[in-house]
Amino acid sequence: MPAFTSPHPAIDSIDVSAFDYGAYPWKDLLVGLDHKTGVLLITLNRPERHNALSSHMAAGLIFAYQLASHDDRVKVVVLTGAGKSFCAGADLTTGGFGVDPAARLEDHRDGGGQIVLEMLRCPKLIVAAINGNAVGIGLTMTLPADLRICVEGAKLGTPFAKRGIASDAVSSYFLPRLVGHSNASKILLTGDVFPASASAVSPLSALFFSVQASAGEVLPAAMGLATRLAEENSLLSMAIIKAQLWRPGGGLGGQLEGGVEEVHERESLALAWQVVSGDAKEGVMSFMQKRKPKFQASLKPLRESGWWPWWKVKDVRKGDGISKL
């Protein structure tokens, strides 16, 4: 099987609440937690290679998102790149896209896909600060982010058809749902590069919360947004709404089994739970009193609610390893 054992410890083997992000020996990543705001900043750190995704970087990203999921100190995650580029795609110098020709094809697991599935599993909001060019996995790894901020003119594209490969990182699922089927076809089937723009004529314009005039404005805008959401919004509400958007049903992968009526039932349950046990009372009271809310500081009440998560997930991982890129 084309996989390697992750160099990182199993998440259930460490005390996540005391994990020191700054002291940990990350490779090809920088990770730091602002204890005051609860914003976890993850930086792709191979600027000399335009942050091309390496196997070490992939394993680190998966581990960092696992930590964010379980660490109650983390309220919002920001992902960005060091240097002039966000991510130039997979590191093609390794060749073969991590596929072992001697192994069963059915056993291969796309490394980018494993990253984005971990992002999807993460109940915390993720903001992608796209500070420069994002191509291939550089773009597709941002699709499961909840909000994206990009610099004007950054080169964005998925040149899979030009490299003789298929879509990666579950992009054939995410992209049509974010920009529409027609725009996704234009982006994926042409393999062309499109400049980032807020213009409605761009097939990628719907992806962005905002487009900044210069690269130097992207990370501050993303950190400002993340800090504001961490301070103003209910952690419980954001986790529930994020899941409602991507996992609407109780079936495998969050697929609907009972149509729109099932959505109505589940939204009603979530709303009632927030009123009885969650943050609704504090949200209304703080609004009426014109003060900052003091929402619950962790997802523990939600984890212990008995109804969340409501969806079933197919385990596509092979042991503790992740596929090479």
Side-chain angles (χ1 to χ4, degrees), residues 162-211:
K162 297 184 185 299
R163 304 293 180 267
I165 61 171
S167 301
D168 77 348
V170 201
S171 55
S172 60
Y173 174 88
F174 286 114
L175 200 55
R177 287 161 174 78
L178 292 168
V179 302
H181 190 93
S182 178
N183 282 326
S185 295
K186 183 186 297 184
I187 296 161
L188 289 169
L189 292 175
T190 66
D192 290 344
V193 170
F194 301 88
S197 171
S199 169
V201 300
S202 169
L204 287 164
S205 62
L207 283 179
F208 306 119
F209 178 85
S210 68
V211 176

Side-chain angles (χ1 to χ4, degrees), residues 73-270:
R73 298 172 298 174
V74 176
K75 310 303 180 187
V76 181
V77 179
V78 173
L79 174 68
T80 194
K84 295 181 178 180
S85 299
F86 176 76
C87 176
D91 189 345
L92 298 181
T93 62
T94 58
F97 297 95
V99 177
D100 181 357
R104 286 197 335 145
L105 297 182
E106 292 83 1
D107 287 340
H108 179 67
R109 293 294 180 266
D110 163 39
Q114 293 177 77
I115 294 170
V116 301
L117 288 177
E118 205 61 62
M119 296 173 72
L120 188 62
R121 295 183 191 108
C122 181
K124 312 297 175 61
L125 258 64
I126 301 172
V127 180
I130 306 171
N131 56 300
N133 297 344
V135 179
I137 183 61
L139 177 62
T140 57
M141 76 162 71
T142 71
L143 300 183
D146 301 289
L147 299 166
R148 286 160 293 275
I149 295 177
C150 190
V151 60
E152 179 85 29
K155 295 179 180 178
L156 310 174
T158 56
F160 307 133
K162 297 184 185 299
R163 304 293 180 267
I165 61 171
S167 301
D168 77 348
V170 201
S171 55
S172 60
Y173 174 88
F174 286 114
L175 200 55
R177 287 161 174 78
L178 292 168
V179 302
H181 190 93
S182 178
N183 282 326
S185 295
K186 183 186 297 184
I187 296 161
L188 289 169
L189 292 175
T190 66
D192 290 344
V193 170
F194 301 88
S197 171
S199 169
V201 300
S202 169
L204 287 164
S205 62
L207 283 179
F208 306 119
F209 178 85
S210 68
V211 176
Q212 302 296 314
S214 69
E217 297 175 84
V218 173
L219 184 56
M223 293 297 287
L225 175 62
T227 300
R228 178 171 67 82
L229 296 178
E231 291 178 347
E232 296 179 359
N233 290 9
S234 161
L235 191 65
L236 298 174
S237 293
M238 291 192 291
I240 293 170
I241 294 170
K242 176 174 180 173
Q244 287 173 333
L245 288 169
W246 287 115
R247 311 281 201 183
L252 190 62
Q255 295 299 305
L256 284 171
E257 298 176 329
V260 69
E261 288 79 12
E262 182 185 350
V263 176
H264 168 60
E265 288 179 343
R266 189 157 289 109
E267 286 185 346
S268 299
L269 170 60

Side-chain angles (χ1 to χ4, degrees), residues 280-292:
K281 185 180 295 185
E282 172 60 17
V284 172
M285 190 68 69
S286 61
F287 174 76
M288 298 298 291
Q289 296 176 352
K290 297 182 180 180
R291 59 171 174 79
K292 288 185 177 181

Side-chain angles (χ1 to χ4, degrees), residues 43-55:
T43 305
L44 310 178
N45 191 37
R46 297 182 76 200
E48 73 286 353
R49 299 300 304 272
H50 300 282
N51 300 319
L53 192 71
S54 66
S55 293

